[in-house]
PDB file of all heavy atoms in Angstrom:
ATOM      1  N   LEU A   1      23.343  26.390  13.417  1.00 93.00           N
ATOM      2  CA  LEU A   1      22.505  27.561  13.691  1.00 93.00           C
ATOM      3  C   LEU A   1      21.591  27.758  12.472  1.00 93.00           C
ATOM      4  O   LEU A   1      20.926  28.776  12.435  1.00 93.00           O
ATOM      5  CB  LEU A   1      23.387  28.903  13.893  1.00 93.00           C
ATOM      6  CG  LEU A   1      24.214  28.792  15.189  1.00 93.00           C
ATOM      7  CD1 LEU A   1      25.094  30.034  15.253  1.00 93.00           C
ATOM      8  CD2 LEU A   1      23.424  28.643  16.395  1.00 93.00           C
ATOM      9  N   GLY A   2      21.595  26.866  11.571  1.00 90.00           N
ATOM     10  CA  GLY A   2      20.721  27.050  10.393  1.00 90.00           C
ATOM     11  C   GLY A   2      21.583  27.589   9.240  1.00 90.00           C
ATOM     12  O   GLY A   2      22.608  28.231   9.549  1.00 90.00           O
ATOM     13  N   GLY A   3      21.277  27.391   8.035  1.00 89.00           N
ATOM     14  CA  GLY A   3      21.933  28.014   6.835  1.00 89.00           C
ATOM     15  C   GLY A   3      23.163  27.204   6.308  1.00 89.00           C
ATOM     16  O   GLY A   3      23.704  27.555   5.361  1.00 89.00           O
ATOM     17  N   GLU A   4      23.347  26.001   6.854  1.00 91.00           N
ATOM     18  CA  GLU A   4      24.447  25.128   6.412  1.00 91.00           C
ATOM     19  C   GLU A   4      23.751  23.824   6.032  1.00 91.00           C
ATOM     20  O   GLU A   4      22.829  23.448   6.621  1.00 91.00           O
ATOM     21  CB  GLU A   4      25.606  24.915   7.412  1.00 91.00           C
ATOM     22  CG  GLU A   4      26.460  26.142   7.516  1.00 91.00           C
ATOM     23  CD  GLU A   4      27.561  25.887   8.592  1.00 91.00           C
ATOM     24  OE1 GLU A   4      27.939  24.685   8.705  1.00 91.00           O
ATOM     25  OE2 GLU A   4      28.073  26.847   9.179  1.00 91.00           O
ATOM     26  N   PRO A   5      24.443  23.066   5.108  1.00 96.00           N
ATOM     27  CA  PRO A   5      23.732  21.750   4.669  1.00 96.00           C
ATOM     28  C   PRO A   5      23.942  20.668   5.855  1.00 96.00           C
ATOM     29  O   PRO A   5      23.149  19.773   5.762  1.00 96.00           O
ATOM     30  CB  PRO A   5      24.677  21.348   3.485  1.00 96.00           C
ATOM     31  CG  PRO A   5      25.966  22.119   3.617  1.00 96.00           C
ATOM     32  CD  PRO A   5      25.617  23.404   4.253  1.00 96.00           C
ATOM     33  N   ILE A   6      24.952  20.810   6.699  1.00 97.00           N
ATOM     34  CA  ILE A   6      25.022  19.840   7.796  1.00 97.00           C
ATOM     35  C   ILE A   6      24.113  20.257   8.877  1.00 97.00           C
ATOM     36  O   ILE A   6      24.168  21.425   9.405  1.00 97.00           O
ATOM     37  CB  ILE A   6      26.477  19.772   8.333  1.00 97.00           C
ATOM     38  CG1 ILE A   6      27.384  19.152   7.150  1.00 97.00           C
ATOM     39  CG2 ILE A   6      26.519  18.880   9.581  1.00 97.00           C
ATOM     40  CD1 ILE A   6      28.810  18.976   7.557  1.00 97.00           C
ATOM     41  N   GLN A   7      23.174  19.433   9.313  1.00 97.00           N
ATOM     42  CA  GLN A   7      22.159  19.657  10.277  1.00 97.00           C
ATOM     43  C   GLN A   7      22.251  18.697  11.412  1.00 97.00           C
ATOM     44  O   GLN A   7      22.600  17.634  11.289  1.00 97.00           O
ATOM     45  CB  GLN A   7      20.773  19.661   9.621  1.00 97.00           C
ATOM     46  CG  GLN A   7      20.532  20.670   8.524  1.00 97.00           C
ATOM     47  CD  GLN A   7      19.259  20.447   7.672  1.00 97.00           C
ATOM     48  OE1 GLN A   7      18.685  19.377   7.845  1.00 97.00           O
ATOM     49  NE2 GLN A   7      18.872  21.464   6.959  1.00 97.00           N
ATOM     50  N   GLY A   8      21.857  19.151  12.643  1.00 97.00           N
ATOM     51  CA  GLY A   8      21.981  18.388  13.824  1.00 97.00           C
ATOM     52  C   GLY A   8      21.008  17.167  13.663  1.00 97.00           C
ATOM     53  O   GLY A   8      21.426  16.045  14.125  1.00 97.00           O
ATOM     54  N   SER A   9      19.955  17.271  12.884  1.00 97.00           N
ATOM     55  CA  SER A   9      19.025  16.077  12.797  1.00 97.00           C
ATOM     56  C   SER A   9      19.737  14.895  12.092  1.00 97.00           C
ATOM     57  O   SER A   9      19.270  13.782  12.228  1.00 97.00           O
ATOM     58  CB  SER A   9      17.822  16.574  12.000  1.00 97.00           C
ATOM     59  OG  SER A   9      18.187  16.999  10.697  1.00 97.00           O
ATOM     60  N   GLN A  10      20.763  15.175  11.308  1.00 97.00           N
ATOM     61  CA  GLN A  10      21.457  14.168  10.513  1.00 97.00           C
ATOM     62  C   GLN A  10      22.233  13.125  11.615  1.00 97.00           C
ATOM     63  O   GLN A  10      22.576  12.042  11.233  1.00 97.00           O
ATOM     64  CB  GLN A  10      22.535  14.638   9.565  1.00 97.00           C
ATOM     65  CG  GLN A  10      21.818  15.409   8.396  1.00 97.00           C
ATOM     66  CD  GLN A  10      22.774  16.337   7.735  1.00 97.00           C
ATOM     67  OE1 GLN A  10      23.965  16.342   8.045  1.00 97.00           O
ATOM     68  NE2 GLN A  10      22.221  17.178   6.839  1.00 97.00           N
ATOM     69  N   TYR A  11      22.279  13.602  12.906  1.00 97.00           N
ATOM     70  CA  TYR A  11      23.022  12.796  13.884  1.00 97.00           C
ATOM     71  C   TYR A  11      22.066  12.124  14.840  1.00 97.00           C
ATOM     72  O   TYR A  11      22.685  11.515  15.859  1.00 97.00           O
ATOM     73  CB  TYR A  11      24.054  13.694  14.535  1.00 97.00           C
ATOM     74  CG  TYR A  11      25.168  14.144  13.630  1.00 97.00           C
ATOM     75  CD1 TYR A  11      25.021  15.206  12.765  1.00 97.00           C
ATOM     76  CD2 TYR A  11      26.414  13.474  13.630  1.00 97.00           C
ATOM     77  CE1 TYR A  11      26.044  15.603  11.807  1.00 97.00           C
ATOM     78  CE2 TYR A  11      27.393  13.883  12.682  1.00 97.00           C
ATOM     79  CZ  TYR A  11      27.169  14.988  11.781  1.00 97.00           C
ATOM     80  OH  TYR A  11      28.176  15.362  10.954  1.00 97.00           O
ATOM     81  N   PHE A  12      20.863  12.315  14.764  1.00 97.00           N
ATOM     82  CA  PHE A  12      19.875  11.775  15.702  1.00 97.00           C
ATOM     83  C   PHE A  12      19.975  10.294  15.847  1.00 97.00           C
ATOM     84  O   PHE A  12      19.700   9.794  16.940  1.00 97.00           O
ATOM     85  CB  PHE A  12      18.422  12.175  15.389  1.00 97.00           C
ATOM     86  CG  PHE A  12      18.074  13.643  15.568  1.00 97.00           C
ATOM     87  CD1 PHE A  12      16.872  14.191  15.092  1.00 97.00           C
ATOM     88  CD2 PHE A  12      18.910  14.513  16.284  1.00 97.00           C
ATOM     89  CE1 PHE A  12      16.555  15.460  15.214  1.00 97.00           C
ATOM     90  CE2 PHE A  12      18.608  15.870  16.433  1.00 97.00           C
ATOM     91  CZ  PHE A  12      17.411  16.361  15.948  1.00 97.00           C
ATOM     92  N   GLY A  13      20.421   9.601  14.843  1.00 96.00           N
ATOM     93  CA  GLY A  13      20.414   8.194  14.879  1.00 96.00           C
ATOM     94  C   GLY A  13      21.455   7.608  15.876  1.00 96.00           C
ATOM     95  O   GLY A  13      21.501   6.538  16.319  1.00 96.00           O
ATOM     96  N   ASN A  14      22.443   8.495  16.257  1.00 97.00           N
ATOM     97  CA  ASN A  14      23.526   8.101  17.143  1.00 97.00           C
ATOM     98  C   ASN A  14      23.329   8.491  18.631  1.00 97.00           C
ATOM     99  O   ASN A  14      24.023   7.961  19.465  1.00 97.00           O
ATOM    100  CB  ASN A  14      24.863   8.706  16.590  1.00 97.00           C
ATOM    101  CG  ASN A  14      25.222   8.196  15.283  1.00 97.00           C
ATOM    102  OD1 ASN A  14      24.999   7.067  14.987  1.00 97.00           O
ATOM    103  ND2 ASN A  14      25.860   9.145  14.481  1.00 97.00           N
ATOM    104  N   GLY A  15      22.464   9.480  18.904  1.00 97.00           N
ATOM    105  CA  GLY A  15      22.412  10.014  20.289  1.00 97.00           C
ATOM    106  C   GLY A  15      21.902  11.444  20.149  1.00 97.00           C
ATOM    107  O   GLY A  15      21.372  11.935  19.151  1.00 97.00           O
ATOM    108  N   ARG A  16      21.989  11.986  21.318  1.00 98.00           N
ATOM    109  CA  ARG A  16      21.496  13.513  21.418  1.00 98.00           C
ATOM    110  C   ARG A  16      22.494  14.330  20.710  1.00 98.00           C
ATOM    111  O   ARG A  16      23.626  13.950  20.419  1.00 98.00           O
ATOM    112  CB  ARG A  16      21.361  13.931  22.851  1.00 98.00           C
ATOM    113  CG  ARG A  16      20.175  13.272  23.644  1.00 98.00           C
ATOM    114  CD  ARG A  16      19.846  13.980  24.891  1.00 98.00           C
ATOM    115  NE  ARG A  16      18.857  13.290  25.617  1.00 98.00           N
ATOM    116  CZ  ARG A  16      17.716  13.783  26.033  1.00 98.00           C
ATOM    117  NH1 ARG A  16      17.441  15.149  25.801  1.00 98.00           N
ATOM    118  NH2 ARG A  16      16.889  13.139  26.783  1.00 98.00           N
ATOM    119  N   VAL A  17      22.043  15.611  20.523  1.00 98.00           N
ATOM    120  CA  VAL A  17      22.893  16.637  19.727  1.00 98.00           C
ATOM    121  C   VAL A  17      22.819  17.895  20.590  1.00 98.00           C
ATOM    122  O   VAL A  17      21.804  18.265  21.107  1.00 98.00           O
ATOM    123  CB  VAL A  17      22.327  16.884  18.329  1.00 98.00           C
ATOM    124  CG1 VAL A  17      23.114  17.924  17.652  1.00 98.00           C
ATOM    125  CG2 VAL A  17      22.437  15.493  17.471  1.00 98.00           C
ATOM    126  N   THR A  18      23.945  18.619  20.556  1.00 98.00           N
ATOM    127  CA  THR A  18      24.014  19.904  21.315  1.00 98.00           C
ATOM    128  C   THR A  18      23.237  20.938  20.492  1.00 98.00           C
ATOM    129  O   THR A  18      23.415  21.193  19.348  1.00 98.00           O
ATOM    130  CB  THR A  18      25.561  20.351  21.373  1.00 98.00           C
ATOM    131  OG1 THR A  18      26.042  20.276  20.033  1.00 98.00           O
ATOM    132  CG2 THR A  18      26.304  19.534  22.323  1.00 98.00           C
ATOM    133  N   GLU A  19      22.248  21.599  21.220  1.00 98.00           N
ATOM    134  CA  GLU A  19      21.335  22.529  20.578  1.00 98.00           C
ATOM    135  C   GLU A  19      21.966  23.920  20.730  1.00 98.00           C
ATOM    136  O   GLU A  19      21.707  24.606  21.748  1.00 98.00           O
ATOM    137  CB  GLU A  19      19.992  22.481  21.143  1.00 98.00           C
ATOM    138  CG  GLU A  19      18.926  23.527  20.551  1.00 98.00           C
ATOM    139  CD  GLU A  19      18.964  23.515  19.013  1.00 98.00           C
ATOM    140  OE1 GLU A  19      19.759  24.171  18.410  1.00 98.00           O
ATOM    141  OE2 GLU A  19      18.039  22.968  18.431  1.00 98.00           O
ATOM    142  N   PHE A  20      22.803  24.404  19.838  1.00 97.00           N
ATOM    143  CA  PHE A  20      23.507  25.591  19.879  1.00 97.00           C
ATOM    144  C   PHE A  20      22.540  26.842  19.780  1.00 97.00           C
ATOM    145  O   PHE A  20      22.887  28.003  20.244  1.00 97.00           O
ATOM    146  CB  PHE A  20      24.649  25.688  18.903  1.00 97.00           C
ATOM    147  CG  PHE A  20      25.965  25.090  19.387  1.00 97.00           C
ATOM    148  CD1 PHE A  20      26.196  23.740  19.220  1.00 97.00           C
ATOM    149  CD2 PHE A  20      26.973  25.800  20.087  1.00 97.00           C
ATOM    150  CE1 PHE A  20      27.354  23.196  19.726  1.00 97.00           C
ATOM    151  CE2 PHE A  20      28.054  25.280  20.497  1.00 97.00           C
ATOM    152  CZ  PHE A  20      28.257  23.856  20.407  1.00 97.00           C
ATOM    153  N   LYS A  21      21.417  26.634  19.128  1.00 97.00           N
ATOM    154  CA  LYS A  21      20.500  27.753  19.008  1.00 97.00           C
ATOM    155  C   LYS A  21      19.946  28.241  20.403  1.00 97.00           C
ATOM    156  O   LYS A  21      19.529  29.300  20.513  1.00 97.00           O
ATOM    157  CB  LYS A  21      19.327  27.385  17.986  1.00 97.00           C
ATOM    158  CG  LYS A  21      19.732  27.197  16.529  1.00 97.00           C
ATOM    159  CD  LYS A  21      18.645  27.084  15.640  1.00 97.00           C
ATOM    160  CE  LYS A  21      17.942  25.691  15.653  1.00 97.00           C
ATOM    161  NZ  LYS A  21      18.771  24.696  15.046  1.00 97.00           N
ATOM    162  N   TYR A  22      19.941  27.227  21.301  1.00 98.00           N
ATOM    163  CA  TYR A  22      19.335  27.524  22.614  1.00 98.00           C
ATOM    164  C   TYR A  22      19.982  28.730  23.342  1.00 98.00           C
ATOM    165  O   TYR A  22      19.346  29.776  23.648  1.00 98.00           O
ATOM    166  CB  TYR A  22      19.423  26.242  23.467  1.00 98.00           C
ATOM    167  CG  TYR A  22      18.676  26.280  24.801  1.00 98.00           C
ATOM    168  CD1 TYR A  22      17.443  25.576  24.815  1.00 98.00           C
ATOM    169  CD2 TYR A  22      19.034  26.923  25.848  1.00 98.00           C
ATOM    170  CE1 TYR A  22      16.737  25.527  25.936  1.00 98.00           C
ATOM    171  CE2 TYR A  22      18.414  26.878  27.034  1.00 98.00           C
ATOM    172  CZ  TYR A  22      17.079  26.277  27.138  1.00 98.00           C
ATOM    173  OH  TYR A  22      16.392  26.205  28.284  1.00 98.00           O
ATOM    174  N   GLY A  23      21.203  28.666  23.465  1.00 97.00           N
ATOM    175  CA  GLY A  23      21.947  29.683  24.280  1.00 97.00           C
ATOM    176  C   GLY A  23      22.011  31.052  23.471  1.00 97.00           C
ATOM    177  O   GLY A  23      21.882  32.166  24.017  1.00 97.00           O
ATOM    178  N   ALA A  24      22.127  30.853  22.089  1.00 96.00           N
ATOM    179  CA  ALA A  24      22.218  32.145  21.251  1.00 96.00           C
ATOM    180  C   ALA A  24      20.877  32.887  21.321  1.00 96.00           C
ATOM    181  O   ALA A  24      20.894  34.118  21.516  1.00 96.00           O
ATOM    182  CB  ALA A  24      22.521  31.730  19.831  1.00 96.00           C
ATOM    183  N   LYS A  25      19.830  32.104  21.287  1.00 97.00           N
ATOM    184  CA  LYS A  25      18.433  32.778  21.309  1.00 97.00           C
ATOM    185  C   LYS A  25      18.141  33.296  22.645  1.00 97.00           C
ATOM    186  O   LYS A  25      17.565  34.346  22.812  1.00 97.00           O
ATOM    187  CB  LYS A  25      17.375  31.848  20.815  1.00 97.00           C
ATOM    188  CG  LYS A  25      17.497  31.403  19.296  1.00 97.00           C
ATOM    189  CD  LYS A  25      17.112  32.413  18.372  1.00 97.00           C
ATOM    190  CE  LYS A  25      17.058  31.844  16.946  1.00 97.00           C
ATOM    191  NZ  LYS A  25      16.782  32.941  15.945  1.00 97.00           N
ATOM    192  N   LEU A  26      18.419  32.523  23.674  1.00 98.00           N
ATOM    193  CA  LEU A  26      18.021  32.827  25.069  1.00 98.00           C
ATOM    194  C   LEU A  26      18.805  34.087  25.438  1.00 98.00           C
ATOM    195  O   LEU A  26      18.271  35.004  26.010  1.00 98.00           O
ATOM    196  CB  LEU A  26      18.311  31.780  26.031  1.00 98.00           C
ATOM    197  CG  LEU A  26      17.791  31.908  27.433  1.00 98.00           C
ATOM    198  CD1 LEU A  26      16.258  32.177  27.458  1.00 98.00           C
ATOM    199  CD2 LEU A  26      18.045  30.710  28.337  1.00 98.00           C
ATOM    200  N   GLY A  27      20.042  34.181  25.039  1.00 97.00           N
ATOM    201  CA  GLY A  27      20.885  35.273  25.311  1.00 97.00           C
ATOM    202  C   GLY A  27      20.349  36.647  24.750  1.00 97.00           C
ATOM    203  O   GLY A  27      20.267  37.718  25.273  1.00 97.00           O
ATOM    204  N   THR A  28      19.909  36.434  23.395  1.00 97.00           N
ATOM    205  CA  THR A  28      19.229  37.573  22.768  1.00 97.00           C
ATOM    206  C   THR A  28      18.028  38.068  23.443  1.00 97.00           C
ATOM    207  O   THR A  28      17.778  39.339  23.582  1.00 97.00           O
ATOM    208  CB  THR A  28      18.941  37.147  21.228  1.00 97.00           C
ATOM    209  OG1 THR A  28      20.091  36.762  20.613  1.00 97.00           O
ATOM    210  CG2 THR A  28      18.351  38.347  20.472  1.00 97.00           C
TER     211      THR A  28
END
């Protein structure tokens, strides 16, 4: 969700990544 050193982009080399910001923002 941002704010931590581990980022989804670090995993793009292996495949897709779950975008947790999507549901959190859409719900808001």
Side-chain angles (χ1 to χ4, degrees):
L1 296 177
E4 288 181 26
I6 294 179
Q7 299 169 343
S9 57
Q10 294 161 7
Y11 293 81
F12 288 168
N14 295 325
R16 290 195 188 235
V17 176
T18 50
E19 179 51 278
F20 275 86
K21 292 190 283 287
Y22 192 101
K25 296 284 189 186
L26 189 57
T28 301

